């Protein structure tokens, strides 16, 4: 199969979808890999490294798309890239379609055979989302702490405090991979941390493995309201597989919070779990509403692209190989877990949650 690796052009995105080592494995299995010039530079990979791995470099991205059977990306296609795709071309990337009707309609109209990283489910886990969730979760605690700084509009409280002073209180909504990572880093900074989740089994696990300054609580609307007045940082990591994130903190609830507190919305790719959230960029990561700092960067792991690219390739390469070997026509029969990754195919939507989000009819594969 001919595989295309274009340079990411989303604002402030420096990851690349495959490392040179990953390219070498694909080439070894007989596939042709086209990599756009400088696609890996943001992650610290030179064109020379890709050439040594067996990739063919192309300057013309339109030619790359035209020649390729499958496009492997990091982030969802943006409108500037839509015209590059061929009818019924394969695409493997993060899609987050429940929060993006325009992209959903494009994929359907073009007949794109689109498989998403974030919906691929194996034994109840999301193995292609987990590495980026871990990066984003760790970042969430760091960014929340940084933006408590007065020069960022925060309250001026140091997250871990110092001898004789108060420590920040951090609430983490969602105890999954991102939530656990956020809690561990916030605790490591010295903050007092509370994780909220509705899965009691998960809460028992978190209670056992997280540091002593991390508490666990069953999540409810009333519990969140009770904790908000004392919180300095709130990290939202809630996830419903493939669907829009629920709005756990409303605009009205911001009035319960201390001015200069920080909301970090890790769920922003899926629409955000705070009512007042809207996507931001690394260049302009925050905005202030009702005196509360909002950090809602839609591609958080892009800030640490070298770590993120290695972690992403470690997780995705197995499935890229499988798609390249079997093709879109046969992959769901040969590797049934890919049914959960399939979102659109020849103009038909195969993700129920996305269909419900956009009132589009979906089918079961």
């Amino acid at each position: 199969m001919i595989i295309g690796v274009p340079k990411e052009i989303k604002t402030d995105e420096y990851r690349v979808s495959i490392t040179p080592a990953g390219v070498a494995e694909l080439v070894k299995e007989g596939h042709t890999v086209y990599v756009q010039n400088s696609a890996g530079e943001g992650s610290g990979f030179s064109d020379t490294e890709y050439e040594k791995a067996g990739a063919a470099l192309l300057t013309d991205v339109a030619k790359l798309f035209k020649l390729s059977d499958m496009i492997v990306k990091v982030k969802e296609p943006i409108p500037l890239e839509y015209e590059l795709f061929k009818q019924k071309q394969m695409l493997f990337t993060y899609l987050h379609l429940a929060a993006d009707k325009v992209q959903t309609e494009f994929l359907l109209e073009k007949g794109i055979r689109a498989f998403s990283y974030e919906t691929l489910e194996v034994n109840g886990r999301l193995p292609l989302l987990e590495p980026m969730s871990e990066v984003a979760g760790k970042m969430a605690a760091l960014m929340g702490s940084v933006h408590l700084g007065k020069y960022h509009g925060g309250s001026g409280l140091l997250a871990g405090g110092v001898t004789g002073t108060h420590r920040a209180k951090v609430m983490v909504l969602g105890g999954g991979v991102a939530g656990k990572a956020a809690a561990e880093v916030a605790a490591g900074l010295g903050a007092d941390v509370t994780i909220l989740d509705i899965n009691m089994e998960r809460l028992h696990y978190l209670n056992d493995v997280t540091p002593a300054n991390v508490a666990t609580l069953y999540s409810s609307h009333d519990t969140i309201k009770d904790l908000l007045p004392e919180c300095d940082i709130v990290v939202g990591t809630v996830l419903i597989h493939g669907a829009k994130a629920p709005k756990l903190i409303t605009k009205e609830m911001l009035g319960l919070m201390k001015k200069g507190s920080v909301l970090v919305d890790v769920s922003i790719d899926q629409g955000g779990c705070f009512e007042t959230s809207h996507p931001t960029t690394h260049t302009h990561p925050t905005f202030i509403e009702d005196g509360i700092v909002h950090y809602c960067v839609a591609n958080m792991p892009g800030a640490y692209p070298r770590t993120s690219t290695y972690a992403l390739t470690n997780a995705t390469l197995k499935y890229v190989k499988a798609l390249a070997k079997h093709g879109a026509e046969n992959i769901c029969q040969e590797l049934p877990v890919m049914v959960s990754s399939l979102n659109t195919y020849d103009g038909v939507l195969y993700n129920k949650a996305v269909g419900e989000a956009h009132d589009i009819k979906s089918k079961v594969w």
Side-chain angles (χ1 to χ4, degrees):
M1 181 172 286
I2 301 174
I3 301 162
V5 178
K7 183 175 183 177
E8 300 293 323
I9 61 172
K10 185 181 178 77
T11 302
D12 297 334
E13 181 54 68
Y14 298 103
R15 289 172 288 179
V16 63
S17 58
I18 306 178
T19 63
V23 167
E25 291 197 32
L26 289 166
V27 171
K28 185 178 179 180
E29 293 190 1
H31 306 295
T32 298
V33 182
Y34 288 112
V35 176
Q36 187 179 355
N37 288 73
S38 76
E41 283 185 357
S43 295
F45 301 117
S46 68
D47 287 347
T48 300
E49 289 177 271
Y50 280 106
E51 285 184 311
K52 287 181 178 179
L57 295 179
L58 288 176
T59 301
D60 186 350
V61 67
K63 185 176 181 181
L64 181 146
F65 273 78
K66 183 179 180 179
L67 292 174
S68 300
D69 303 310
M70 174 169 62
I71 299 297
V72 181
K73 286 176 47 53
V74 178
K75 291 300 292 178
E76 71 283 349
I78 62 174
L80 285 175
E81 296 171 303
Y82 289 177
E83 64 181 17
L84 298 173
F85 282 87
K86 299 183 294 186
Q87 287 285 336
K88 299 186 178 182
Q89 196 163 30
M90 288 173 62
L91 171 65
F92 197 29
T93 189
Y94 288 114
L95 292 173
H96 301 289
L97 294 184
D100 192 343
K101 188 174 184 179
V102 171
Q103 184 197 174
T104 304
E105 291 175 338
F106 155 70
L107 295 175
L108 292 171
E109 289 169 5
K110 200 84 170 187
I112 302 300
R113 298 170 177 185
F115 295 82
S116 74
Y117 298 153
E118 77 276 4
T119 62
L120 191 144
E121 185 173 344
V122 180
N123 297 324
R125 293 177 48 240
L126 302 174
L128 307 191
L129 185 62
E130 287 175 1
M132 297 303 96
S133 294
E134 187 174 4
V135 173
K138 291 187 174 186
M139 281 185 63
L142 296 174
M143 295 300 106
S145 177
V146 166
H147 287 90
L148 273 181
K150 198 68 177 177
Y151 54 93
H152 283 308
S155 64
L157 185 70
L158 183 64
V162 295
T163 304
T165 71
H166 291 291
R167 299 185 289 179
K169 293 187 182 297
V170 178
M171 176 166 57
V172 180
L173 300 174
V177 173
K180 177 176 177 286
E184 288 174 335
V185 171
L189 293 172
D192 288 323
V193 184
T194 304
I195 305 177
L196 277 66
D197 203 286
I198 58 173
N199 184 327
M200 285 302 299
E201 184 178 353
R202 183 66 177 178
L203 289 176
H204 279 296
Y205 165 75
L206 292 169
N207 208 48
D208 289 339
V209 301
T210 51
N213 54 328
V214 177
T216 57
L217 279 176
Y218 187 84
S219 184
S220 72
H221 178 72
D222 287 344
T223 302
I224 295 170
K225 285 183 66 175
D226 288 344
L227 290 179
L228 275 180
E230 299 300 319
C231 287
D232 301 290
I233 300 172
V234 180
V235 178
T237 71
V238 292
L239 174 70
I240 299 174
H241 292 193
K244 276 191 173 183
K247 306 299 183 186
L248 298 187
I249 294 180
T250 65
K251 177 175 174 59
E252 182 182 6
M253 290 165 71
L254 297 187
L256 299 172
M257 301 181 70
K258 294 178 287 187
K259 301 302 181 185
S261 299
V262 180
L263 296 178
V264 182
D265 200 338
V266 178
S267 304
I268 192 64
D269 271 340
Q270 291 294 123
C273 61
F274 310 136
E275 186 180 16
T276 46
S277 291
H278 62 74
T280 60
T281 66
H282 290 291
T283 303
H284 302 288
T286 64
F287 60 92
I288 297 175
E289 184 156 341
D290 291 348
I292 308 302
V293 180
H294 291 59
Y295 180 99
C296 307
V297 176
N299 61 325
M300 290 178 68
Y304 298 94
R306 191 160 178 85
T307 295
S308 298
T309 292
Y310 273 119
L312 183 63
T313 299
N314 291 345
T316 60
L317 186 59
K318 167 185 174 180
Y319 301 98
V320 174
K321 286 181 178 181
L323 280 165
K325 179 180 180 180
H326 300 295
E329 301 88 350
N330 303 310
I331 188 64
C332 292
Q333 288 75 34
E334 298 294 334
L335 189 61
V337 296
M338 291 300 292
V339 171
S340 60
S341 177
L342 179 62
N343 276 235
T344 66
Y345 189 100
D346 291 1
V348 179
L349 180 66
Y350 287 96
N351 186 311
K352 182 180 178 181
V354 173
E356 291 174 347
H358 302 314
D359 195 23
I360 298 174
K361 184 178 180 181
S362 64
K363 290 186 177 181
V364 176
W365 184 264

